[in-house]
């Protein structure tokens, strides 16, 4: 297995961040992830005048994942407006869990961690079939 190019993934996330629509929070976010077939998907936050309707960057990412052929997320990174690594919010950890499961690797300010450490004892698709 070849080593994952986290720097490249971060560059894609930073590029997505540059296209964020965040006029209300002034806090642009970009995300990128590697898919198990080698694709890279990304997203940026898209806010709304009705504040609660704002979409996190991860919403765009999972939408692109599904709309470009599906698959499983294997590696994920998230950056803030300075391009620095950011932890995904709680709701978005759940979005990522759906498509990456507990073994999805996240780049965090505390190093590379599996999603199982960022969202312990997660509720997920398996609960609905057991
Ligand atoms: N935000 C994301 O896009 N993803 C996260 O994981 C953290 C928060 C966005 C939502 C909102 O547009 C802005 O950051 C400030 O909370």
């Amino acid at each position: 297995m070849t080593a994952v190019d986290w720097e490249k993934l971060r560059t894609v996330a930073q590029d997505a961040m540059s296209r964020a629509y965040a006029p209300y929070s002034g806090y642009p976010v970009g995300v990128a992830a590697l898919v198990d077939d080698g694709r890279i998907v990304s997203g940026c936050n898209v806010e709304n005048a009705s504040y609660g309707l704002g979409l996190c960057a991860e919403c765009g990412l999972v939408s692109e994942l599904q709309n470009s052929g599906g698959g499983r997320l294997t590696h994920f990174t998230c950056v803030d407006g300075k391009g620095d690594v950011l932890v995904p919010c709680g709701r978005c950890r759940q979005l990522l869990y759906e498509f990456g499961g507990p073994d999805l690797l996240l780049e965090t300010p505390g190093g590379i961690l599996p999603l199982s450490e960022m969202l312990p004892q997660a509720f997920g698709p398996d609960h609905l079939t057991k």
Side-chain angles (χ1 to χ4, degrees):
M1 194 183 126
T2 50
V4 167
D5 191 347
W6 286 101
E7 207 173 305
K8 180 177 175 195
L9 214 51
R10 219 175 309 125
T11 300
V12 174
Q14 287 160 351
D15 193 42
M17 179 275 290
S18 74
R19 291 186 290 273
Y21 176 72
Y24 305 110
S25 70
Y27 196 85
V29 175
V31 293
L34 195 57
V35 184
D36 61 356
D37 64 0
R39 269 151 56 229
I40 289 180
V41 289
S42 62
C44 60
N45 53 337
V46 179
E47 298 183 346
N48 193 280
S50 180
Y51 293 169
L53 299 184
L55 302 174
C56 278
E58 291 84 345
C59 298
L61 181 144
V62 296
S63 184
E64 183 185 326
L65 172 73
Q66 191 60 25
N67 196 30
S68 64
R72 298 291 290 172
L73 301 175
T74 61
H75 300 77
F76 169 90
T77 193
C78 178
V79 299
D80 65 15
K82 292 186 203 142
D84 294 336
V85 174
L86 180 70
V87 283
C89 76
R91 176 181 182 274
C92 290
R93 294 177 198 192
Q94 185 72 37
L95 287 184
L96 294 171
Y97 189 81
E98 184 78 18
F99 297 102
D103 299 330
L104 170 63
L105 292 178
L106 270 61
E107 184 177 44
T108 81
I112 308 296
L113 296 173
L115 184 53
S116 58
E117 284 191 35
M118 302 295 286
L119 188 68
Q121 296 198 49
F123 173 83
D126 288 352
H127 287 95
L128 300 178
T129 55
K130 271 182 197 153

